[in-house]
Amino acid sequence: MSRTLDSDRSPGAPNDRVAAAQAQPNIALIKYWGKRDVALNLPVVGSLSITLDTLWTRTEVRFSDALDADSIVLNGKSDPKQLKRTSACLDLLRARAGIRTRAAVVSTNNFPTGAGLASSASGFAAMVLAGDAALGLNLTPAEQSVLARRCSGSAARSIFGGYVEWAHGSRADGEDSVATPLLPADAWPLSVAVAITSTAEKAIGSTEGMNRTADTSPYQDAWIDSQEADLAEARAAIAERDFERLADISEHSCLKMHALALAAKPGLLYWNAATVAAMHVVRSLRAQGVPVFFTIDAGPQLKAVCLPSAASRVAAALREVPGVLNVVETGLGGPAHLIPTAAAAAA
Ligand code: PMV
């Protein structure tokens, strides 16, 4: 793996070990919800996602003997709330390298953080790649995926581009719970329109939501039991480039995940009025023959996935929905990758 060292451009001590990486968020079509091991971040079900392209996190990681403590600057501001998870991720990298050196992390998202747009997926995938390169660990993509999973479950998938499956695995140590690429982005290009209906941080994070669901939702067993069939259906749809088949199974998985979470006590309601209005708009477009479907994660944003020929019509329709603040259009993107540290600093 090439190592990006650009220390003459970034401030810092001469012996600092620094690298930067970019990763894009991914959106699950067959959803992950529920952990079989909270500490190791092991899922109860496998999941399948698409990696996006124009939304990104750029992260620089600088290990320096001059530092007494880890730090994280997110979107230009020191962010103590993110420090615990950041340090936990850096600890995994330090353990691999056999060092105790502290690190300064500077990370920028070009999209709202913490609002159901998988900023933790792209954020931790970028951090793992940058940390790996800075420390010269030479991890394989599969090893990077396992480390990223420990930091944030869905980050395991953002290591790869295009269509990606993350296995739940069966080993207690989780080493087989790893993502693998199914198909590169350009083998079946799709477009995604993200309808942003709120930029507020979500009230209930996914770990808390998943644990509450597992403890109280009467549908948890049915969710687990039906996941393998959904994954097989989505895999087949992707292999055949069958959009209608992928649309049916993806909406089913999304609605099933939300039904599961809605049935928790107290129920988890991640949608707002604009989310629901946008769902109806997507359904009505599809009824008119437009190749589009929706998916929604643990937040109020709706992601409309469509064939590229329908992208401008879908985005225009979503912009008309009352309460939709903004529509971000993107295609499918490639894997997480190293970038010059100057590019991360300028982000
Ligand atoms: O990895 P987390 O903790 O951000 O959880 C992601 C959960 C969903 O986005 C709702 C589903 C998924 O598979 O990404």
Side-chain angles (χ1 to χ4, degrees), residues 242-299:
D242 185 336
F243 186 84
E244 289 300 307
R245 200 170 171 188
L246 186 63
D248 287 344
I249 194 62
S250 299
E251 279 195 8
H252 173 68
S253 179
C254 164
L255 292 172
K256 189 163 53 175
M257 182 201 101
H258 284 275
L260 167 76
L262 281 162
K265 286 183 185 162
L268 294 155
L269 177 54
Y270 286 110
W271 306 336
N272 60 31
T275 320
V276 177
M279 290 159 84
H280 285 294
V281 165
V282 170
R283 285 244 160 137
S284 124
L285 285 170
R286 196 167 168 214
Q288 293 163 51
V290 178
V292 61
F293 65 87
F294 64 75
T295 190
I296 305 156
D297 290 312

Side-chain angles (χ1 to χ4, degrees), residues 304-329:
V305 182
C306 63
L307 291 177
S309 57
S312 48
R313 183 162 174 199
V314 167
L318 289 173
R319 283 197 180 94
E320 296 298 311
V321 175
V324 168
L325 308 173
N326 188 16
V327 175
V328 178
E329 292 180 71

Side-chain angles (χ1 to χ4, degrees), residues 26-33 35 41 47-49 85 116 118 120-121 152-155 157 166 202 205-207 210 257-258 296-299 303:
N26 68 78
I27 293 176
L29 302 183
I30 304 301
K31 301 294 184 192
Y32 150 51
W33 197 253
K35 296 180 197 263
N41 238 354
S47 55
L48 191 153
S49 61
R85 282 180 87 185
S120 63
S152 169
S154 54
R157 301 185 306 233
W166 169 26
K202 65 188 171 219
S206 53
T207 300
M210 289 180 198
M257 182 201 101
H258 284 275
I296 305 156
D297 290 312
K303 292 99 178 186

Side-chain angles (χ1 to χ4, degrees), residues 217-227 260:
S217 178
Y219 303 149
Q220 180 78 0
D221 289 346
W223 166 251
I224 296 170
D225 292 346
S226 58
Q227 187 80 345
L260 167 76

